[in-house]
Amino acid sequence: MTGIGIHDIELVTTHDVLDLAALAEVRGVDPAKYEIGLGQTRMSVPAADEDVVTMGATAAARLLERTGTEGIRSLLFATETGVDQSKSGGMFIHGLLGLPSAMRVAEVKQACYAGTVALQSALGVIARNPEAKVLVVMSDIAKYELGGSGEPTQGAGAIAMLVSANPALVEIEPETGMFSADVDDFWRPNDSTTAVVDGALSLKAYLDALTGSWDDYLANGGHAIEEIDRFLYHQPFTKMARKGHRELAKYAGTALSEDTLEPSFIYNRELGNTYGASIYSALTSLLHHDEELAGKRIGFFSYGSGSTGEYFTGVVRADYREHIYVEPIQTELAARNTITFEEYAELHETVLPSSEDVETPRVTKAPYRFAGIRGGARQYEATA
Ligand code: COA
């Protein structure tokens, strides 16, 4: 076995998109605040028949078309936009995709950090059995109150990744640093579809977790900062990654170039915040847009409010460019349906009661859709 890591990765988003310039106009804000101040251009908005399950199923289906399902005995679904308090969103994906019954399926949660919990768990499974492969799906919809300060940092997207021994893309190194602190910076009550956020506190908690997990990373045998060639950060909005990068440089007492961050911003500027999928969407963007990554070490800062941070590294495989698939996500981003502010506001305010049967309109062009609620249970179906 030559290492364990990310063998394949796929990024998916929604049918609809809102231009942040349109939001700025309605809110009476200078559009430069969103474009430059936050580093965001557009945000993905789920259609009435899309949710974290449909996005996750689409991402997983595209990936499995390439890899097949042989050897996959675990499906770990990471989200903070759970569709049920008990049943894993991964179970709906398992059913939609007709995956084998000899499979472990579960959902993990810790705000935007959950995807990394799933990835690290997958690495552990494979360390015990190098033949095993784990399908990790991260899918989220960032939703804040209409007109609130978090509104321009909403978004939606899903990542599917296959984690295996001898990975084709990125080998994840074993050294890792952790930091956790109980902070009331961001949470979503059980009876609310929107998150509650203290913006200033959430930025501080992010930076505290960055320096805390960096210290723990070094204390546990991590590489010196000079040995890290590229830096990825959780991106609730892309400017936050710049803030993190500047903080890390100051903390480590070194100068770090910001130019190498740019390729990791390209997709997230368009998607908005994808919570748990965000840092892996940034990884996808980096793999798709930086042609000089062969053999390079990437530093990952994964963060979830509330709060947990983890610092770890991965090394990109020499022939990674033969194993990236740029076309599906770039076609999807270009084909999104641009909605007006009024259409966005209506979608935002539509909340389906789980106690009444309802059918959703057919909107999405994705292969799977949320059909509605029957007998209190969520119904999903293939669109073709
Ligand atoms: N042109 C260019 N930049 C402008 C501008 C203009 N006309 N007007 C403001 N800005 C800049 C500000 O200087 C600031 O940049 P800086 O942070 O580098 O100084 C940035 O735009 C944001 O302005 P600010 O006044 O701080 O925005 P805000 O109070 O409306 O809220 C957040 C910003 C991020 C706190 C808010 O969007 C939020 O709560 N988001 C959700 C929480 C979140 O994502 N937290 C991250 C941790 S997970």
Side-chain angles (χ1 to χ4, degrees), residues 6 167-173 217 223-232 260 263 283 286-287 289-300 311-321:
I6 302 168
L169 293 177
V170 183
E171 176 184 341
I172 303 296
E173 296 183 297
Y217 171 72
H223 293 272
I225 202 155
E226 295 75 23
E227 294 168 23
I228 300 177
D229 306 297
R230 299 289 187 276
F231 293 82
L232 283 177
T260 53
L283 170 66
L286 184 71
L287 291 167
H289 297 100
D290 184 334
E291 295 182 8
E292 308 291 328
L293 289 179
K296 295 283 195 290
R297 175 171 290 114
I298 302 175
F300 294 76
Y311 207 94
F312 61 100
T313 52
V315 177
V316 181
R317 293 298 206 195
D319 59 353
Y320 75 101
R321 293 200 61 79

Side-chain angles (χ1 to χ4, degrees), residues 14-16 45-51 347 363-364:
T14 57
H15 179 267
D16 292 335
V45 179
D49 56 351
E50 291 178 324
D51 68 7
L347 281 167
V363 182
T364 186

Side-chain angles (χ1 to χ4, degrees), residues 30 32-33 36-38 112 144 149-153 186 197-200 202-203 206 234 236-237 239-240 243 246 273 303 305:
D30 180 351
K33 174 175 175 180
I36 298 162
L38 296 175
C112 306
Y144 302 99
S149 71
E151 188 178 37
T153 63
F186 177 110
V197 61
D198 177 337
S202 78
L203 267 56
Y206 180 113
H234 169 51
F237 48 96
K239 179 76 164 289
M240 193 65 219
K243 287 178 188 283
R246 286 172 195 162
N273 194 355
Y303 175 73
S305 295

Side-chain angles (χ1 to χ4, degrees), residues 167-248:
L169 293 177
V170 183
E171 176 184 341
I172 303 296
E173 296 183 297
E175 300 80 15
T176 180
M178 262 78 80
F179 178 90
S180 287
D182 185 357
V183 187
D184 287 339
D185 62 329
F186 177 110
W187 67 98
R188 183 165 68 82
N190 281 343
D191 58 355
S192 176
T193 59
T194 53
V196 181
V197 61
D198 177 337
L201 182 60
S202 78
L203 267 56
K204 181 182 178 304
Y206 180 113
L207 298 176
D208 288 349
L210 170 58
T211 52
S213 60
W214 175 253
D215 280 344
D216 191 52
Y217 171 72
L218 290 184
N220 284 281
H223 293 272
I225 202 155
E226 295 75 23
E227 294 168 23
I228 300 177
D229 306 297
R230 299 289 187 276
F231 293 82
L232 283 177
Y233 298 84
H234 169 51
Q235 296 176 2
F237 48 96
T238 65
K239 179 76 164 289
M240 193 65 219
R242 280 190 198 285
K243 287 178 188 283
H245 201 54
R246 286 172 195 162
E247 181 76 10
L248 186 61

